[in-house]
Every structure is written in structure tokens, then in C-alpha cells.
Amino acid sequence: MKFCSRCGSSINWLIPEGDNRNRYVCSDQTCGEIHYQNPRIITGCLPSYKDKILLCRRAIEPRYGLWTLPAGFLENQETTAQGAQRESVEEANANLDIKELYTIFDIPHINQVYFFYRAELIDTNFSPGIESLDVRLFNKENIPWDELAFPAIKKALEYYLEDSAKQRFTFRSTTLEPLNPKAK
């Protein structure tokens, strides 16, 4: 950030009075806007149909062409469940019954928090949305593990398969560390 989005003045990187960490602060004393940068919320779902899981092949960067669960950034004025439903329609044109919050992944090194809901497909009338090249149902034997877009997707699928085998779904909250610790 180089300029204040409120007044256009230059920005300083400093600890504002009464705070405990560096923030972008407007250099204009009459403005003084503090620009907080907070984690981004990603919401999505893990849609299943019988013993299969719906995955989407990404048509956008990052990770173009890799497989993911339908998910994306939460919009203002929607709940995480509403966002998960919306993303499933946008990416897979999927008709879902959202069950419950299934996993939360804190990913502090990239300032993101993922919320995944367990969901069941109402029917198999799904198709690629504008952000997907392909949408398919996978059984546990043919999940494209080496072509998954993000570590949170892999971990959510691992949890789901573990819980499916027990026929008991357990909510989990997990912190994911960088794959390369020097990447922080």
C-alpha cells in the first residue's frame, strides 16, 4: 500500500498509538486513517453424492487446471453458509443441501481462514461454472491427490474420508503451516 484510499496522501508503516503492531497509516495529520489488513475468509463446501465427492477443475489462477472443492471469498452481507452455497452454484451449478460446518482451517502465513461445510448433492445436474473447466464426482479410489489445488483441500478430503469410513463426521479446526517454512 502506497497511498491512503481515503484522501490519497502517502502511507507510513508504523505502530499507531494504542495499538501493538505495524499498520499502514495515512501521513496526512488531518486524515490519519489507519488501514487495517485482516484475514480473508474463504468459504465452501465438501459436496457428496452417495459415496462420491464433487470436485471442480479450476479455470482461474492461482492453481489453474488443478482440482478443488467449490469455494471462494466470502462476500459482504452473507453468512459463511450462504457463501458456500453461492460458490457451489458459481463453480459447479450444483444443487446442494448444506448439512453443517465441517472444518475450519486457519492459515496465518497467507492471512486466510477457510470454512468448509459438509453438503449433499440434491441431484447430479451439475456442470462447470465460469470459474471451472470441469466438474466431476470422484470416489475415494480416484481422487486426483497429486492434482489438488491447495493444502486445505487435501486436508479436508482426508478428514472426510476418515470420517466416512467411521460413518461419523467430526468437526475439526486446524492450523495449516506453510509447506516451505521459509515462505513465511
Side-chain angles (χ1 to χ4, degrees):
M1 184 169 214
K2 294 184 180 187
F3 301 99
C4 177
S5 59
R6 184 171 175 208
C7 76
S9 295
S10 63
I11 294 291
N12 294 320
W13 181 246
L14 53 88
I15 299 174
E17 186 176 331
D19 207 332
N20 62 2
R21 63 187 67 209
N22 281 321
R23 312 276 187 191
Y24 290 109
V25 180
C26 179
S27 63
D28 184 325
Q29 303 248 343
T30 59
C31 177
E33 181 80 7
I34 300 170
H35 299 277
Y36 294 96
Q37 294 183 312
N38 298 319
R40 293 166 290 180
I41 304 296
I42 290 85
T43 186
C45 65
L46 201 157
S48 64
Y49 184 78
K50 299 183 180 178
D51 64 342
K52 296 181 179 182
I53 300 166
L54 183 78
L55 295 177
C56 306
R57 187 182 288 267
R58 292 177 61 82
I60 58 173
E61 292 293 350
R63 311 281 201 260
Y64 179 92
L66 297 180
W67 292 95
T68 189
L69 294 167
F73 290 107
L74 184 67
E75 296 289 349
N76 289 333
Q77 300 184 3
E78 70 181 358
T79 67
T80 54
Q82 290 168 336
Q85 185 82 43
R86 175 185 51 76
E87 287 291 339
S88 297
V89 171
E90 287 178 3
E91 295 184 12
N93 294 301
N95 300 311
L96 298 175
D97 179 19
I98 301 251
K99 295 301 182 187
E100 73 270 331
L101 182 59
Y102 184 54
T103 62
I104 296 175
F105 294 107
D106 291 303
I107 313 175
H109 65 280
I110 57 172
N111 306 318
Q112 293 181 353
V113 180
Y114 280 65
F115 290 79
F116 282 113
Y117 286 82
R118 205 170 59 78
E120 291 180 8
L121 286 164
I122 294 170
D123 55 45
T124 57
N125 296 325
F126 54 82
S127 61
I130 194 163
E131 295 181 1
S132 300
L133 298 169
D134 192 8
V135 181
R136 288 189 218 162
L137 286 170
F138 291 89
N139 59 33
K140 65 181 180 181
E141 292 80 26
N142 65 2
I143 292 173
W145 293 104
D146 292 337
E147 297 177 51
L148 295 177
F150 305 105
I153 304 305
K154 180 180 181 191
K155 186 54 84 176
L157 290 170
E158 289 171 350
Y159 287 156
Y160 183 81
L161 293 175
E162 178 183 316
D163 288 349
S164 290
K166 294 187 274 186
Q167 295 186 335
R168 185 170 156 247
F169 294 94
T170 304
F171 170 77
R172 292 178 176 90
S173 180
T174 306
T175 299
L176 296 179
E177 298 299 330
L179 296 176
N180 176 359
K182 293 182 181 183
K184 284 186 178 180

